[in-house]
Amino acid sequence: MKKILIVLSLVMVFALSGCVSTSNKLPDRDPDAVGLIYDIDTEGRRILVVSDIESADIAYDEWFQTGKYAAYFKITEKTVINDNGAITDFSSLRKGQKVEIWHTGILAESYPMQGEAVYVNIID
C-alpha cells in the first residue's frame, strides 16, 4: 500500500509540473512577436498579430503585400494572458490592442504564419 501511495504521489508531482503557471510575471526572454491584434477568430480561439502597422483598420492588402510579420496565434486554456499585471482570458483580447507574444517555438511557414501562444502580454 505504501508503494502505491509513493507511485501515485510521484505521478501527481509530474502531472502538476506540466501545468502552465498563471503568474503575471513576464517570461525571462524577449517576446517572439510584438504587434497589433489585427483580427480575432473567436470560433477558432486565435488572434492575428501584425507587426509594424499603425492601426488595425488599415486594409489587409496594405500590410500583406509588403510582407509585414504576421502570425495567427492559437489561444489555449494553457495560454497566460496578462493585462497590466492581472491574469485574464481570451474575452479580454480586442482588435487594435498592442501585444507581446511568446509562442511554443513552432510556427507553420504559411503567410501569415500559424502557431500557439504560451504567453500574451497586453501592452495597450
Side-chain angles (χ1 to χ4, degrees), residues 54-120:
E54 297 296 320
S55 166
D57 294 326
I58 68 169
Y60 180 85
D61 288 343
E62 277 188 55
W63 62 263
F64 185 84
Q65 291 180 3
T66 59
K68 302 283 187 194
Y69 177 93
Y72 280 102
F73 292 104
K74 177 88 170 156
I75 307 297
T76 71
E77 64 280 346
K78 294 180 182 178
T79 305
V80 176
I81 301 172
N82 181 345
D83 186 4
N84 293 312
I87 300 303
T88 186
D89 61 18
F90 183 79
S91 66
S92 65
L93 298 172
R94 303 275 180 263
K95 182 177 178 175
Q97 285 176 320
K98 186 171 185 180
V99 293
E100 297 174 316
I101 304 284
W102 288 261
H103 59 73
T104 61
I106 302 168
L107 291 175
E109 293 186 24
S110 56
Y111 188 72
M113 294 178 284
Q114 298 177 55
E116 182 179 314
V118 174
Y119 197 101
V120 178

Side-chain angles (χ1 to χ4, degrees), residues 10-56:
L10 289 173
V11 169
M12 290 296 290
V13 167
F14 288 119
L16 293 175
S17 67
C19 294
V20 172
S21 168
T22 57
S23 168
N24 59 1
K25 183 178 179 286
L26 294 175
D28 292 334
R29 60 184 174 86
D30 290 340
D32 298 309
V34 178
L36 297 183
I37 297 176
Y38 187 81
D39 188 39
I40 298 177
D41 174 6
T42 54
E43 188 173 310
R45 289 185 52 88
R46 61 187 194 152
I47 57 176
L48 174 57
V49 176
V50 181
S51 295
D52 299 322
I53 59 174
E54 297 296 320
S55 166

